[in-house]
Amino acid sequence: MSASSITVVKVRDVLLVAMPSDPDDSVITALQEQAMRSMDQHEAKALILDISAVETLDSFFARTISETAQMVSLMGGRTIIAGMRPAVAVTATQLGLPLKRVETALTVERALDMVSLGKRQGSAR
Amino acid sequence: MTVRAKPRRPSGSAQHNPGPKGDDLLQVLVENVRDYAIVLLDPDGKVLSWSPAAQRLKGWATDEIIGQSFARFYPEEDIQRGKPQNELKAAGQDGRFEDEGWRVRKDGTRFWANVVITALRDNNGKLRAFGKVTRDLSERKEAEDKIKKQAQEILEMATIPVVQVWEGIVLVPLIGTLDSARTQQLMERLLQHVTDSGSPVAVIDITGVPAIDTQTAQHLIETVSAVRLLGAEVVLTGVRPVIAQTLVHLGVDLSSVATRSSLAAGLRTAMEMLSLAIVPKADKP
């Protein structure tokens, strides 16, 4: 997969990224780069990662999301991951994967609601 | 009858010979007892005679079965494993053998039987015959199986119920001790339900949990973390004083979880999280 397989969509003041089902390391690295570039360009309020297709969440992916969230936070935005699958949540909890500064939402729609209402909910530990 | 149960008694003991009258009554008993099928086998396991109850239970006519091997009372697979002969051997060695298992009737139907085989020896200790007493326990067995099945069903059903109490709110009332297996099940079912129903709030009620230890608390915290990863919130309710004391003494930190003492308070908190409120009807007189 090439880096271009990640598309960051800007909807009003929100950046939206849909993750593929089995992202490899290069995709994950590209995610961070593109997300940061878009944050800089658009001064977005939030970055929403749709991970409803993702079947496995490894420590590299988790760490990158966490790092990206910290960077986004430094740039004045918030990061919300939406639609995590139950099996992924179980594994993530049992492995104790680091997901600092990341907020969670059941669906992308709810993530958008959270941004528009300015509400904080479901922060992952 | 010339044979008696339990050999190796000092000869000359009179207690075994209650007189003709007693013997007659014993014969009447054997013929009339309905609940036990009594069969007399020769040392090789061939049927010498049997009681009317045995005929009723097993279905063969008396002259059909006399001289036949008692293996005919056993299911095919038992015969192949040599079970009938092994039972006779065991009875011959120990004087007595008891078994509970399937036996067959003449028409091939099965019944669950309790069987006691007793070796009958004469005064010199020579094996003369075997007495076989069979009781049909099919009804008891059926009832037992039914109870077992129901208990299993109740256990499976009641282990972790996940209830949708309101739009957007799921409730898990936990009853009984929480071990690792149950917590794992709780986590999986709760996460699945939260995802399927798209409920942003999960209420876990621990009123029915008798005691809590470090491990259980850890399991609960894990469940809460997993639910949060999905994007939902957790309210822990039913924290009784004794549980609260234990948690504090164990040094378990549940400060990251919204906890309430009663389920009612928990539901109110859950509603608040969804910006809902229950208000009295305005038009009430």
Side-chain angles (χ1 to χ4, degrees):
Chain A
M1 275 201 238
S2 67
S4 61
S5 60
I6 286 285
T7 314
V8 180
V9 183
K10 179 186 163 291
V11 186
R12 300 224 169 103
D13 47 7
V14 174
L15 299 175
L16 193 59
V17 183
M19 292 305 291
S21 71
D22 190 15
D24 61 20
D25 289 2
S26 68
V27 172
I28 294 166
T29 316
L31 162 74
Q32 192 176 64
E33 280 168 18
Q34 299 213 13
M36 294 323 294
R37 203 174 308 137
S38 303
M39 278 299 291
D40 187 38
Q41 262 174 18
H42 306 296
E43 289 186 25
K45 266 165 68 181
L47 169 67
I48 297 177
L49 287 180
D50 178 9
I51 57 163
S52 57
V54 175
E55 280 165 7
T56 49
L57 184 67
D58 60 16
S59 56
F60 179 69
F61 192 7
R63 202 172 59 238
T64 310
I65 292 178
S66 191
E67 271 176 18
T68 311
Q70 290 176 54
M71 296 170 193
V72 169
S73 166
L74 286 172
M75 295 173 79
R78 50 202 278 211
T79 304
I80 305 172
I81 51 175
M84 187 184 290
R85 295 186 176 200
V88 175
V90 172
T91 323
T93 314
Q94 284 167 352
L95 296 179
L97 292 180
L99 283 169
K100 269 176 253 153
R101 316 254 353 156
V102 181
E103 292 170 75
T104 53
L106 283 172
T107 58
V108 173
E109 270 177 20
R110 292 193 57 87
L112 287 169
D113 286 349
M114 280 160 66
V115 176
S116 60
L117 295 173
K119 222 168 104 178
R120 298 214 155 245
Q121 195 207 349
S123 79
R125 92 193 61 191
Chain B
M1 281 212 245
T2 51
V3 286
R4 307 179 205 130
K6 277 290 153 197
R8 296 192 193 105
R9 279 184 191 282
S11 57
S13 117
Q15 57 179 322
H16 263 292
N17 192 5
K21 209 179 168 194
D23 267 353
D24 287 351
L25 284 176
L26 192 63
Q27 186 63 28
V28 171
L29 173 67
V30 168
E31 274 169 19
N32 284 285
V33 71
R34 286 173 162 270
D35 303 316
Y36 294 89
I38 302 169
V39 184
L40 208 56
L41 308 172
D42 73 8
D44 296 325
K46 294 205 169 59
V47 177
L48 288 172
S49 70
W50 70 359
S51 69
Q55 187 186 345
R56 252 196 314 277
L57 176 62
K58 297 173 198 279
W60 281 275
T62 302
D63 43 337
E64 269 181 319
I65 203 67
I66 300 290
Q68 296 282 334
S69 167
F70 83 119
R72 298 190 66 170
F73 304 146
Y74 289 77
E76 191 56 44
E77 64 268 20
D78 283 352
I79 297 173
Q80 275 171 15
R81 289 211 318 264
K83 190 175 170 187
Q85 294 309 322
N86 289 342
E87 288 187 358
L88 269 199
K89 218 168 119 188
Q93 274 166 8
D94 307 333
R96 180 181 183 281
F97 179 86
E98 182 166 3
D99 178 45
E100 214 170 272
W102 293 109
R103 296 293 184 271
V104 290
R105 299 191 183 89
K106 186 190 178 187
D107 60 9
T109 54
R110 293 184 176 204
F111 61 98
W112 187 261
N114 169 274
V115 179
V116 179
I117 301 176
T118 311
L120 306 175
R121 295 174 188 275
D122 61 18
N123 287 341
N124 302 319
K126 187 175 183 307
L127 182 67
R128 295 288 305 273
F130 289 102
K132 183 168 177 281
V133 178
T134 307
R135 191 171 188 196
D136 182 1
L137 295 180
S138 297
E139 277 176 29
R140 198 198 71 190
K141 167 88 173 156
E142 245 168 62
E144 275 178 4
D145 286 353
K146 203 168 160 189
I147 290 168
K148 238 186 253 171
K149 199 169 147 244
Q150 283 172 344
Q152 186 63 29
E153 278 172 7
I154 290 169
L155 202 69
E156 278 170 12
M157 228 167 37
T159 318
I160 312 284
V162 181
V163 188
Q164 189 83 42
V165 281
W166 200 267
E167 207 176 304
I169 304 175
V170 289
L171 167 67
V172 190
L174 292 177
I175 313 276
T177 314
L178 277 182
D179 55 20
S180 302
R182 280 191 78 200
T183 322
Q184 182 73 21
Q185 207 189 356
L186 158 73
M187 205 194 260
E188 279 167 17
R189 292 198 54 180
L190 179 57
L191 294 182
Q192 196 60 50
H193 199 100
V194 164
T195 311
D196 291 348
S197 64
S199 303
V201 183
V203 180
I204 301 178
D205 183 65
I206 57 167
T207 311
V209 178
I212 211 160
D213 56 18
T214 322
Q215 212 183 0
T216 315
Q218 195 52 45
H219 285 319
L220 278 176
I221 291 173
E222 266 180 27
T223 307
V224 172
S225 308
V227 172
R228 282 189 173 161
L229 283 176
L230 296 181
E233 260 308 328
V234 176
V235 182
L236 193 66
T237 68
V239 184
R240 289 172 289 129
V242 55
I243 299 253
Q245 278 173 338
T246 317
L247 287 174
V248 171
H249 287 152
L250 289 173
V252 176
D253 182 18
L254 280 176
S255 59
S256 58
V257 188
T259 51
R260 295 291 180 272
S261 61
S262 71
L263 180 54
L267 280 178
R268 212 173 299 129
T269 308
M271 297 240 170
E272 274 164 21
M273 285 174 171
L274 295 173
S275 313
L276 296 170
I278 295 180
V279 291
K281 260 186 173 175
D283 58 355
K284 204 175 165 191

